[in-house]
Amino acid sequence: MKDLEIIKSVVCLDIDFIHKPKCFCSLVIQPTKPIKQLTINSLVNIKSLLLNNNIADYQQKDGNLTITMDTSDLITLDIEYDFDLKWYGPYEKQGKSLQCQISAIKQQARWWLPCIDNIQDKYIFEFQITVPGNFTVICTGNLLGKNSVNDKVMFCYEMNTPISPNCIVISIGEYESSKFSYSKPIKNEDEDMPEIVAPSPARVEVFYLPKFKSSIHATCFYLPQALEFIEQWVGASYPFNCCKIVFGETTNCPITVGATVVIASVNLLITEHVIDHVFSTRFYLVQGLACQWFGQYINHETWADIWIIAGFTRFISYQFMRKMHGNNEVKFRIKKDMERVCVIDVKQPALCPINTHKVKDDILVGQHFSPFEDAFSTRAELMNLKSCLVMNMMEKRFGKGLLQKMANKILVTQMSGELTTGLGTLQFLKYARKVSGKLELKEFADQWIYGSGSPIFTTTYNFNRKKMVIELKIQQRSSNAGMVGATHKFTGPMVIRVQEPGGTFDTEIRVEEFIKIYDIIYHTKYKRIRRGAEKKKKKNLNGEEEYEEEEEEQREYGVEEGHDIIAEPDRITFEWIRLDPEGVWLCYKTFEQEDFMWNSILRQDKDVVAQYEAIQALAKIPSSATCATLTLLMKDLNFFYRLRMEAAYALINFNTAELENMGLVNLLKTLKENYCMDGADYLPKQNNFEDLQEYYMLQAVIYAISKFRDSRGWSPSKSRQALIDILRLNDNTNNSYTDSGLLSLLLDCIGNMFLARPKSADDIASNLLERSQIKETRVLRNEDVEELEFPIDLSNWSRFNSETVKNYFEDEDHDLLNICIKEIDRLLVRDRFAPSHQNSVTVTCLEVMIKWQIAGLMQPNLKLFLFYSRFGHFVSIREIAIEGLILLTGLNNPSILKYLAKLCLQDPDSVIRYYTSRALMSYVAMAIAQVDGGSQQGKRKRVLKDILQILTDSWGSE
């Protein structure tokens, strides 16, 4: 605020289990000129207010607290108040399950603290928080000490670095702690002596409930190293005096970040026996550390500038993950992020929209990501992914190391006190222009930052022998075409790489039209490469011996007699062409070239992205030669394991009668030869996941097999039989790693294989039920990742499956289904007594049962889902059980509807309160959308009326 400056805020909280917290806040304010009225932000219940130790005249309305005064001297406001605080866990237990969290809701601190709630207003804080004696308080700032007061303990914290109120985070629970440090080995002067490991002070302190102690080291051991890496990368030391990580059960987001504190969900915890989710856990925690620099120490100027914070933290996290997991892993994931952005960047606003079009009736113009955005929405996902990718483009287009230099310059400016209003988009671009010296930044910003959409390029080529040039036709369109404020035409430099007989040549062109033909100069003196002739010559000279060697090499790669591989023609002009080989453009590319050219890229180009694009292209060229090539790649240990997985997924496309289902045949043969006992039909070997690449490959093969469908949309019996045998006979006895990820995948795949999938692409119900979770066990394709929805009318989908079961289910199919139902029951019981990691096996079993019960393969069992929806089960189990109650028409039962409404209001777990509310609102929204049509119009209206009445009565009584 321009008329005054807050110097300090002292916050005192006295918290117990039952009553509202007793709160006191003292604000010290220095006016810059005489003021007659002071307005601060507050949504708390004010009990008393003193102005310089005198009773003040105030008015509280619409989240603002207005105080009447007439002074220019130092002001001290003493406010006594209370607010509602929800605990995690039932009150009567008062045990280790009780926790609570205080943080800014929707980036607003006014709900629990009277303050000037503005991201640009920063001041210092003192906290005095009193809790029952067996509890620990983790709060923003440095712990000064704790004092015993009767049967309670007062924790005193101090935050000397000015921060905004929405950077404050408090977590209370019966926590234990562990400290982590990073010790560097120092070379000994005596070369014969071993290196010395110098002790270093603890840099990260981790708090957790005692039941999670065994998971802490495997989850957090690398955090001090990550902290030091970020310091070196940004060129500035850690901006605060301490760093605390808290693993709590009170957050519905993976991480909640405050100054000096990161509250992480217990879902991120892993043990040394867990393989899945390792990358995602590390990425989230490292991103939480990066947020201490960008997000807490440096804020965004307005909510339209939040993309800068998201982009910087994600970009920095990827740099550290490159160090831990390798360059290929990060490049592959960035490529996947690009594909995902191109899919979801439809009818979305820009990263930083500006209303240049002066159109008031379009709600997307001028809309930006705001604190009221759902953290799990498509808009939030797009902003997080695209912001990092746009910065990655800047790094590659305007100079290597650009962002690192910019980060250092921004932090130096913040330390000098010049960045008073936060980091805005205009300032960010000014820093980029100063560091890079490039004037093209304005054009870049207009297209990628202020404009929405992503380019989709379609390219064809023709070799002109007269001109000795390659004529490259590039056509572009925007994923957001037709939207106001979208970038309809993208321009900029693009590199075209051609592999010629004389070597590899790069040509830079400038993309500037919707359709344009570019002449790429052919550098090699024109001659055709005569590969076939050379091979024949070798055969003529060496006779049958060379021929036998070639056959032996083919057999080694798994190509059986009668199976072709992609052969190059006798004469070729060049081997292949690549668009944007360095991945500078955030785009989706479709390039038409011959199959032997893509095969040449696979064998010659060592770039992971190039090989991935070749696999994607070959998957669209169905032939026996292509299928054999992809099968060879899948088995070749020299390729990056993610590429081998993609080759397995690509074989799904080879399921036509013309190819005799070669893809499925090769996958089943690979499963039997590599992962099953010799001489037995799909008897799996004992699990041994020491080779992580083979573990991921096994999951990829299983997933690919489950996706095959015949002309009726039905999974072949031999596929189901194979995976059921793998599930039933799975043996993890001597394995040092958990098999929960494998079991969950098998259950999910088998569950889908008993469901008929109509060939129609617009079968909405089928798509909704194919809800896939993003797991570390496999890299899902974009079409497999869908948002959670709650369909009202699944009658068409159920009818399709019922008819399919009636017409095509044979005795063998019924027997297999009964075996699976018994196996699900067995796994549910086993997981109750020997829980899998995060109870993932139970979650998948319940999800399969929901699908089968909707499809009519099982009788609806609402009692089972009621049991699993109650407090005490793992959060993920409760969520899927609540989903089951809604999808299985449990809302037709008034008692169940009242039960769900009660969960929204009174459940001890805030995550479940949020999830149930969101699920019911989604159901109501879709019911309203469908209430005017269909054969069940009257029933829909009656159910909708009951839902709205019960929710109104329940929430009104609260």
Side-chain angles (χ1 to χ4, degrees), residues 173-186:
E174 284 196 334
Y175 295 122
E176 295 181 359
S177 67
S178 296
K179 295 182 178 180
F180 291 88
S181 59
Y182 176 54
S183 301
K184 286 185 176 180
I186 302 175

Side-chain angles (χ1 to χ4, degrees), residues 779-798:
V779 179
L780 296 182
R781 298 176 300 170
N782 293 328
E783 58 266 29
D784 292 326
V785 183
E786 296 160 5
E787 290 194 21
L788 176 62
E789 298 287 356
F790 294 91
I792 294 292
D793 187 8
L794 295 174
S795 56
N796 291 335
W797 185 85
S798 298

Side-chain angles (χ1 to χ4, degrees), residues 101 191 214 274 359 373 419 469 545 572 629 736 741 762 888 911 947:
Q101 174 183 325
E191 296 181 356
S214 60
V274 173
V359 179
E373 189 76 48
L419 204 62
V469 296
E545 182 180 354
I572 60 174
T629 299
S736 57
D762 55 2
L888 296 172
V911 177
I947 293 173

Side-chain angles (χ1 to χ4, degrees), residues 739-755:
D739 63 346
S740 58
L742 178 62
L743 290 176
S744 298
L745 176 67
L746 280 166
L747 284 166
D748 184 48
C749 291
I750 292 171
N752 291 331
M753 293 172 78
F754 277 94
L755 302 175

Side-chain angles (χ1 to χ4, degrees), residues 920-950:
L920 287 174
M921 289 301 98
S922 298
Y923 188 95
V924 170
M926 294 195 70
I928 292 173
Q930 297 185 15
V931 79
D932 294 329
S935 59
Q936 299 183 349
Q937 177 178 353
K939 184 177 179 180
R940 288 195 190 117
K941 286 185 176 180
R942 186 177 67 255
V943 172
L944 177 59
K945 183 178 179 181
D946 293 342
I947 293 173
L948 294 175
Q949 185 63 47
I950 290 176

Side-chain angles (χ1 to χ4, degrees), residues 578-597:
R578 282 194 65 195
L579 273 68
D580 188 30
E582 301 300 327
V584 177
W585 284 74
L586 165 56
C587 64
Y588 183 81
K589 296 174 287 188
T590 301
F591 187 28
E592 298 177 6
Q593 59 180 346
E594 300 296 332
D595 55 357
F596 69 85
M597 294 183 173

Side-chain angles (χ1 to χ4, degrees), residues 483-615:
M483 296 299 300
V484 177
T487 302
H488 299 288
K489 183 171 66 174
F490 292 86
T491 61
M494 177 184 288
V495 173
I496 308 298
R497 179 169 295 171
V498 181
Q499 179 67 35
E500 301 180 14
T504 305
F505 297 93
D506 289 348
T507 303
E508 184 176 293
I509 63 172
R510 180 167 181 81
V511 178
E512 52 189 2
E513 301 294 341
F514 288 109
I515 303 177
K516 187 174 180 180
I517 297 177
Y518 300 89
D519 291 339
I520 309 300
I521 299 175
Y522 189 75
H523 297 81
T524 306
K525 184 178 180 181
Y526 178 64
K527 64 175 180 179
R528 296 190 180 192
I529 308 172
R530 303 188 63 187
R531 298 180 178 274
E534 292 176 3
K535 291 181 181 179
K536 288 180 180 179
K537 187 176 180 181
K538 286 185 178 180
K539 290 178 184 178
N540 291 334
L541 289 174
N542 299 326
E544 296 180 358
E545 182 180 354
E546 178 66 21
Y547 180 77
E548 291 176 357
E549 287 181 2
E550 287 188 359
E551 282 193 341
E552 183 179 349
E553 183 181 0
Q554 291 185 11
R555 285 195 298 270
E556 180 183 350
Y557 279 102
V559 180
E560 299 297 325
E561 185 177 355
H563 284 197
D564 301 325
I565 58 173
I566 297 177
E568 295 179 352
D570 292 344
R571 298 171 179 268
I572 60 174
T573 308
F574 51 85
E575 297 194 36
W576 45 261
I577 305 175
R578 282 194 65 195
L579 273 68
D580 188 30
E582 301 300 327
V584 177
W585 284 74
L586 165 56
C587 64
Y588 183 81
K589 296 174 287 188
T590 301
F591 187 28
E592 298 177 6
Q593 59 180 346
E594 300 296 332
D595 55 357
F596 69 85
M597 294 183 173
W598 292 116
N599 184 52
S600 181
I601 291 177
L602 274 178
R603 301 300 172 184
Q604 297 181 25
D605 199 324
K606 301 304 179 183
D607 181 37
V608 169
V609 175
Q611 293 172 325
Y612 170 73
E613 291 175 349
I615 293 171

Side-chain angles (χ1 to χ4, degrees), residues 25 33 88 102 107 118 354 435 486 519 538 593 628 682 727 730 810 868 874 940:
C25 175
K33 65 180 181 179
Y88 173 86
I102 301 174
Q107 293 298 316
N118 191 324
I354 53 175
V435 172
D519 291 339
K538 286 185 178 180
Q593 59 180 346
Y682 305 111
L727 176 65
N730 175 67
E810 300 176 355
Y868 280 111
F874 195 71
R940 288 195 190 117

